[in-house]
Amino acid sequence: MAAADTAKNKNEQGYWAFVNKQFRKKKTAVISLYIVIVLAFVAVFAPFLANEKPLVCKYKGELFFPVLKDIAVGFGIGEFQQQFQNVDWKNLHYDMVVFPPVPYLPMNQDNDNIHSKGPFDDQVVPSARWKHWFGTDELGRDVLSGMIHGTKIAMTVGIVSMLIASVIGILLGSLAGFYGDENFQVSRIRLWGNLLFLFFAFFYSFGSRSYDITDALGRGLGEGFLQLGISILIFAAVMVVGNLLVIPLKKIPALGKQVAVPFDLIIMRVIEVLNSIPTLFLILLIISIVRKPNLYVIMGIIGLTGWTGIARFIRAELLKVRNLEYIEAANSLGFSNPHILFRHAIPNALSPVLISIAFGIAGAILTESTLSFLGLGPADTVTWGQLLSYARQIPQAWWLAIFPGFAIFITVTTFNLIGDGLTDAMDPRLKQ
Amino acid sequence: MKPVEVETKSGKTESGKKFFFAKISFPLFGYILKRILIFIPTLFIISLLTFILIAAAPGDPAETMLSRSSAEGQASDKLATERSYRELRHKLGLDLPVFYFAFTNAAQSDTLIRIPTKNHREMLDRIVYEYGNWPQIENYYHELKALEFAIIATKKDSTNTNALIELRNTVAKIFIHHEDIVLTGLFADLKTQAALATNLADIKAKAASTEAAYNKVKSEATVWKRYIPNIQWSGTHNQYHRWLLGEAKWFGTETDPTKGKGFMRGDYGISFFTKRPVKSVIWDGLWITMLISLLVILIEYVISIPLGISLAVRKGSTYDSTVTVGLFLTYSLPVFWIGTMAIFFLCSPDYLEIFPPFGLGDATWDDGFFYKIGDLAYHLALPLIIASYASFAYLSRQMRGSMLSVLGQDYIRTARAKGLPDNKVIWKHAFRNSLLPIITIFASFFPALIGGSIILEFLFTIPGLGQITYAAVIQKDYPMILTNTMFAAILTLVGYLVSDILYAVVDPRISYSKK
């Protein structure tokens, strides 16, 4: 076994090395990768790049790091010193101070430069250090700062929502592709028993405890998670009991008869239904019933509606893989089906999914900015789409139309180019 | 249309044309029928999904509708307000169970949904959750109601005005609280407040009996009922059935005008916001969106197919590489950005004023036909360009790719080796086969266009399906959202069907009869 493992590893390494080599050949894809790295850097270090607080300052003889402190406060560790609470950071008398490159926060208003001052307009600023390089919006908020913090939002939305979509898509797609309609056999009683106990488990864990959970969540996350944990335990317990009860009943021939669960049929029907509603309509429908869409809700919605492509991709891949020799070999070695699926089949089918994830991130970023542009995005942050939407209201503010839109364009394009490069690099025809 | 090479196998005796129809048309018809039959369960599931999502929405539509039309009245108007509120809920069918059946527990009651006020329903639901004895709780609620009306009905005079106001406030609080500590305190308040004036004996008695009813709820609690699962059957008298199939008679004329016909029979309900029938709003929007979508598809295919072919034929040339890069960049430009920029720079007096920035024109009924068409075209030109450029770029790239892969096939090499001219090889042998992937794309294009109509119509303020949906989402106008989503789904399914038919027409090798 060990020898086989190392051989497999070697082979896999060979494959990735090959893909890497092919990918490197395509200049546009490589440049895109660098751009994404830059964007990721901007996203991670956004508070250091654009902030009203100084990076370092010497105030009344003491050295402070307000931006770092701010991040710590955001995580709930530490609190701002008494002297820094509710201060105007810009006008303190420092002994020494280093401000971030863009000394503004995206949500803060610069009252001297309201009514959208452009980059070439006369701005009321003490010096070029405080200039709004990309202009301001109607309320006097700095556009460049909004774009820097918007990078964080865009990257988070793209990656998190695709993570959600990939988990659902890979799981359901591989179930459909690997088991098909016939290969998942269970006894009749186990099938029906599980469905029945699923209902009971849900009833006792969540149905009967609904207000306990919501109340606890309202009191605080800790208590909420405790109650949720109890519910999950109840759920698991009911399922275990149900499956134990099934065992003696299986002896009855009529109940013990093996039947197939048509995973493929069910999952493909679900995908068909989801694909029959235009995605934007579906998303708007869900947004209309959410009280206040925040960033998490938006990411969840995009993830929950975006998994069908990945599922179809991996299903098609597994339909091929499941007939390959090494799966047959694993089968004849006596490995269980789930083991083969998760240890052998999925890992080998996963690489093409990378392509659709790359395209998916581009799509998710585009969807989020579309929603923000329509005024339905997260309300508590500044996003690119939101900045762009201000341009519609102010016909003179070309900087509001050009810069955020260009940021969206670049991000979407780079992810698309990476997807394109991966497609070419993984093309099996190149392998021969 | 002429069939391609494959007919030689079995079509010896028949002419090509006859063969084509004999082999394709009839089974195709059966296939279409089959597809339409499959659509029905899909649509049914979509209707269920959207309906349940919307039923789960927070807020009470009747409450919002009423508060918009009439402000909260005086104490004496309270009865009238409550009655109109109840009538409105009945008219909208909100006092019905949501679905044919519901999974609940034994403690929950199926009559709770008839309680008109939303706050009261939530309060009662909490008390049911806590004590699990609906008959006692219902009794408590009725006592509380009686107390409220007794307070409202009591004549105000100089001695009891303050007491009555305080009593009303306390009762209003009792109506929305379920916590035992709070309620006990509030009942104590009631007693002291009723004692403030001398002529409130009736209220005092009612307050006492309400408190007794509450104590009975507590003492006769049956919490265990919460742990007994229960299936409530509501029969066909439910909101979903009412919405989908309606309550009116299917045959013969319906005499009761309040009974709707349901979605299946073309009755989409009444908009919560405009109070107009949804149908009249939607049809106007639907044809605009359809017109734009069909025009966009036409433009895209007419331009991108020849362009893709010309790129494939000149593969590797500078023309090919520049155009391909250009197409890729075009394809990645977000529609709403380019749309905003176009409106910005092409429709504004500050820069260039070439196109009108919004609307569909101002032609009236009396204007001449050509003026109307011209005006519409003038207003649609920019939206059409904006809507088509992105998918046109994508389509051209696909066309180029598929043409290239066809040109690499053996039979093309054979045709070339035979000495056929390039033109003939491309148009006679390669063209039709290279169309197949493009047609597959059509299936995903149509929903994308319908979804994209939201952005496009938002940008250019075109009163189509997308704009209506957007407005409905902002206004939380649920009948409107529901109908729009259903229509978007129906249009999408029709798009899939059309692409299937096109597939069969273009590729005679595909036989649907064997499926």
Side-chain angles (χ1 to χ4, degrees):
Chain A
M1 253 341 269
D5 261 358
T6 47
K8 192 181 142 234
N9 275 341
K10 215 175 171 185
N11 215 341
E12 215 158 74
Q13 266 173 12
Y15 175 70
W16 286 111
F18 174 78
V19 168
N20 191 10
K21 211 175 111 197
Q22 290 298 327
F23 188 80
R24 300 260 159 211
K25 273 189 192 164
K26 210 167 172 180
K27 262 193 200 132
T28 48
V30 176
I31 295 170
S32 301
L33 199 62
Y34 288 135
I35 295 178
V36 166
I37 292 171
V38 170
L39 285 173
F41 177 82
V42 172
V44 171
F45 292 101
F48 298 96
L49 294 172
N51 210 322
E52 54 162 9
K53 301 184 180 69
L55 290 170
V56 192
C57 66
K58 204 168 188 183
Y59 185 66
K60 289 181 184 163
E62 265 185 280
L63 203 60
F64 295 104
F65 298 90
V67 174
L68 272 177
K69 187 84 187 173
D70 193 34
I71 293 170
V73 171
F75 277 115
I77 24 178
E79 225 173 271
F80 262 110
Q81 293 83 351
Q82 195 66 41
Q83 53 185 349
F84 286 137
Q85 281 177 4
N86 300 319
V87 292
D88 181 7
W89 291 93
K90 197 172 154 186
N91 295 326
L92 287 179
H93 295 288
Y94 302 104
D95 305 334
M96 182 277 285
V97 62
V98 179
F99 273 101
V102 180
Y104 294 102
L105 269 182
M107 299 290 264
N108 287 10
Q109 303 171 4
D110 180 357
N111 290 329
D112 297 332
N113 294 298
I114 51 171
H115 302 313
S116 43
K117 290 274 172 65
F120 304 125
D121 295 347
D122 280 337
Q123 298 178 355
V124 186
V125 283
S127 67
R129 180 72 187 81
W130 298 89
K131 191 171 157 63
H132 299 279
W133 292 101
F134 280 19
T136 61
D137 70 359
E138 187 61 29
L139 299 172
R141 296 179 291 194
D142 188 69
V143 173
L144 182 54
S145 174
M147 288 186 53
I148 290 172
H149 284 260
T151 315
K152 193 172 64 185
I153 305 292
M155 296 298 266
T156 317
V157 168
I159 290 166
V160 173
S161 56
M162 261 311 107
L163 217 61
I164 299 172
S166 318
V167 169
I168 303 175
I170 289 173
L171 206 68
L172 293 184
S174 55
L175 278 182
F178 187 72
Y179 288 115
D181 282 340
E182 277 98 34
N183 292 351
F184 193 83
Q185 301 261 344
V186 287
S187 63
R188 201 176 274 168
I189 178 70
R190 191 177 288 280
L191 176 63
W192 292 111
N194 266 304
L195 286 179
L196 185 72
F197 277 94
L198 202 64
F199 166 71
F200 274 111
F202 191 78
F203 178 79
Y204 285 115
S205 58
F206 295 102
S208 298
R209 300 169 37 79
S210 51
Y211 283 122
D212 284 310
I213 298 171
T214 48
D215 281 358
L217 276 173
R219 281 196 295 271
L221 273 185
E223 266 185 79
F225 281 131
L226 180 70
Q227 290 294 335
L228 273 178
I230 294 174
S231 278
I232 290 166
L233 273 183
I234 296 176
F235 192 94
V238 174
M239 291 311 285
V240 168
V241 169
N243 277 296
L244 289 177
L245 281 179
V246 158
I247 293 172
L249 286 171
K250 249 166 54 175
K251 302 258 157 52
I252 305 167
L255 295 177
K257 198 174 173 243
Q258 297 279 309
V259 285
V261 182
F263 273 128
D264 196 27
L265 188 85
I266 297 168
I267 291 166
M268 287 313 280
R269 282 298 89 80
V270 171
I271 292 178
E272 205 177 288
V273 167
L274 276 180
N275 282 351
S276 300
I277 310 176
T279 320
L280 207 51
F281 273 78
L282 188 60
I283 290 176
L284 285 196
L285 174 73
I286 300 174
I287 282 184
S288 75
I289 63 168
V290 177
R291 270 176 216 264
K292 271 201 197 105
N294 57 25
L295 195 61
Y296 301 103
V297 173
I298 300 287
M299 290 191 293
I301 293 174
I302 296 175
L304 288 179
T305 52
W307 57 269
T308 54
I310 295 173
R312 279 157 72 130
F313 221 126
I314 200 153
R315 171 182 175 270
E317 200 62 29
L318 275 183
L319 282 177
K320 269 185 271 169
V321 165
R322 75 173 181 194
N323 294 327
L324 293 181
E325 279 147 8
Y326 71 89
I327 298 290
E328 224 164 274
N331 236 326
S332 59
L333 280 170
F335 286 123
S336 68
N337 263 336
H339 178 95
I340 297 173
L341 175 63
F342 286 105
R343 291 298 303 278
H344 302 291
I346 292 183
N348 280 295
L350 219 49
S351 49
V353 173
L354 269 180
I355 299 168
S356 59
I357 289 178
F359 284 122
I361 292 176
I365 292 174
L366 202 58
T367 309
E368 183 273 319
S369 34
T370 309
L371 288 176
S372 295
F373 180 71
L374 292 174
L376 298 168
D380 44 357
T381 41
V382 171
T383 66
W384 291 340
Q386 214 178 323
L387 287 172
L388 186 53
S389 75
Y390 298 147
R392 274 170 61 81
Q393 292 139 25
I394 314 155
Q396 295 82 30
W398 54 267
W399 53 95
L400 283 174
I402 289 181
F403 298 130
F406 192 71
I408 299 169
F409 167 61
I410 286 292
T411 316
V412 171
T413 310
T414 47
F415 277 108
N416 277 338
L417 281 170
I418 290 173
D420 230 36
L422 281 174
T423 315
D424 288 351
M426 289 177 180
D427 193 339
R429 271 172 298 185
L430 288 174
K431 248 185 157 176
Q432 278 114 42
Chain B
M1 206 175 266
K2 270 173 90 186
V4 249
E5 288 92 26
V6 259
E7 87 252 39
T8 43
K9 258 186 188 169
S10 55
K12 292 172 266 183
T13 50
E14 288 162 308
S15 77
K17 197 158 193 168
K18 242 186 180 171
F19 171 84
F20 178 74
F21 280 110
K23 179 94 187 182
I24 302 296
S25 293
F26 188 65
L28 181 63
F29 183 71
Y31 174 76
I32 294 171
L33 210 70
K34 207 171 106 187
R35 283 305 299 248
I36 291 175
L37 284 178
I38 294 177
F39 286 168
I40 292 170
T42 310
L43 264 181
F44 174 73
I45 293 172
I46 291 171
S47 76
L48 207 68
L49 189 81
T50 43
F51 192 86
I52 288 173
L53 271 178
I54 280 176
D60 189 335
E63 221 157 84
T64 38
M65 270 175 95
L66 214 63
S67 65
R68 211 174 284 132
S69 54
S70 71
E72 188 69 37
Q74 295 287 309
S76 51
D77 295 338
K78 201 170 166 67
L79 269 175
T81 316
E82 201 150 285
R83 193 186 314 118
S84 62
Y85 180 58
R86 186 172 295 154
E87 273 163 13
L88 184 61
R89 269 176 66 81
H90 183 71
K91 196 173 136 202
L92 297 175
L94 293 170
D95 55 348
L96 297 176
V98 176
F99 200 54
Y100 296 95
F101 58 85
F103 293 114
T104 56
N105 54 52
Q108 269 163 353
S109 134
D110 54 346
T111 48
L112 180 66
I113 197 158
R114 298 207 192 127
I115 307 281
T117 320
K118 185 162 185 277
N119 290 340
H120 297 186
R121 276 200 304 280
E122 280 169 3
M123 175 273 290
L124 287 174
D125 197 44
R126 292 300 299 244
I127 295 188
V128 169
Y129 182 82
E130 239 158 86
Y131 302 109
N133 44 354
W134 176 243
Q136 285 87 335
I137 293 166
E138 202 176 17
N139 181 39
Y140 159 65
Y141 182 67
H142 285 310
E143 292 283 349
L144 194 57
K145 275 289 223 218
L147 173 65
E148 190 194 18
F149 285 124
I151 295 170
I152 293 169
T154 307
K155 257 196 152 174
K156 278 184 195 164
D157 56 40
S158 55
T159 57
N160 65 8
T161 313
N162 282 339
L164 281 177
I165 291 173
E166 276 183 33
L167 280 167
R168 264 186 65 195
N169 290 340
T170 314
V171 169
K173 273 184 211 151
I174 294 178
F175 266 121
I176 55 169
H177 278 289
H178 62 92
E179 304 91 342
D180 188 38
I181 309 170
V182 180
L183 281 178
T184 321
L186 287 172
F187 279 121
D189 288 352
L190 269 188
K191 261 187 215 156
T192 53
Q193 285 158 1
L196 283 177
T198 47
N199 53 357
L200 298 175
D202 180 39
I203 292 175
K204 227 180 262 176
K206 286 235 162 66
S209 69
T210 310
E211 197 181 354
Y214 176 65
N215 286 330
K216 205 174 167 201
V217 168
K218 279 199 289 186
S219 62
E220 292 174 17
T222 49
V223 187
W224 50 270
K225 275 193 177 171
R226 203 169 85 204
Y227 298 101
I228 301 195
N230 182 27
I231 298 176
Q232 283 176 1
W233 293 98
S234 325
T236 58
H237 208 57
N238 63 59
Q239 289 184 34
Y240 178 71
H241 188 89
R242 191 177 180 273
W243 168 74
L244 188 71
L245 300 169
E247 288 173 316
K249 270 184 263 174
W250 279 79
F251 303 104
T253 46
E254 179 60 55
T255 45
D256 188 354
T258 59
K259 286 186 175 170
K261 283 182 163 176
F263 185 87
M264 296 277 282
R265 286 184 280 170
D267 177 3
Y268 311 134
I270 293 168
S271 157
F272 284 169
F273 195 76
T274 56
K275 308 212 172 70
R276 274 171 68 198
V278 172
K279 193 176 183 174
S280 67
V281 183
I282 289 226
W283 280 114
D284 294 344
L286 199 62
W287 82 258
I288 294 172
T289 301
M290 281 298 289
L291 176 76
I292 294 177
S293 302
L294 291 177
L295 282 175
V296 167
I297 288 176
L298 195 75
I299 295 171
E300 280 165 357
Y301 276 75
V302 164
I303 300 178
S304 59
I305 290 176
L307 184 66
I309 293 174
S310 76
L311 288 176
V313 171
R314 278 175 238 177
K315 189 193 170 219
S317 65
T318 347
Y319 167 71
D320 174 42
S321 47
T322 26
V323 176
T324 309
V325 171
L327 287 178
F328 191 89
L329 292 181
T330 321
Y331 156 64
S332 299
L333 290 170
V335 172
F336 57 92
W337 183 38
I338 294 306
T340 312
M341 300 266 278
I343 294 175
F344 220 89
F345 293 112
L346 299 180
C347 310
S348 116
D350 291 350
Y351 303 96
L352 288 169
E353 204 171 2
I354 304 174
F355 294 106
F358 53 76
L360 275 183
D362 40 20
T364 56
W365 192 251
D366 304 325
D367 287 321
F369 177 72
F370 287 104
Y371 177 77
K372 267 195 239 171
I373 294 285
D375 193 48
L376 191 65
Y378 174 56
H379 279 84
L380 273 184
L382 192 59
L384 283 181
I385 296 170
I386 298 294
S388 28
Y389 80 86
S391 19
F392 138 76
Y394 180 69
L395 209 59
S396 304
R397 275 165 53 86
Q398 292 297 316
M399 187 68 207
R400 175 181 175 271
S402 93
M403 193 61 170
L404 275 181
S405 74
V406 170
L407 286 180
Q409 299 280 325
D410 286 344
Y411 65 85
I412 298 292
R413 206 177 310 142
T414 314
R416 285 224 164 105
K418 272 199 306 194
L420 286 179
D422 241 19
N423 242 349
K424 206 163 182 190
V425 171
I426 286 163
W427 291 106
K428 182 124 201 277
H429 296 265
F431 178 59
R432 257 177 110 168
N433 288 319
S434 69
L435 278 184
L436 290 179
I438 303 289
I439 286 167
T440 330
I441 295 171
F442 178 85
S444 62
F445 252 33
F446 205 66
L449 274 174
I450 301 292
S453 71
I454 293 179
I455 306 167
L456 189 75
E457 290 165 11
F458 172 79
L459 272 171
F460 291 95
T461 337
I462 297 169
L465 192 67
Q467 169 85 328
I468 295 172
T469 311
Y470 175 73
V473 168
I474 297 284
Q475 295 154 354
K476 309 230 176 233
D477 190 346
Y478 293 121
M480 210 71 169
I481 301 175
L482 193 56
T483 316
N484 282 353
T485 311
M486 286 302 287
F487 270 106
I490 292 171
L491 286 182
T492 306
L493 290 176
V494 170
Y496 287 159
L497 184 68
V498 170
S499 90
D500 281 346
I501 296 170
L502 281 177
Y503 216 87
V505 172
V506 172
D507 188 359
R509 283 169 304 182
I510 294 168
S511 156
Y512 290 104
S513 50
K514 277 179 209 150
K515 261 200 161 176

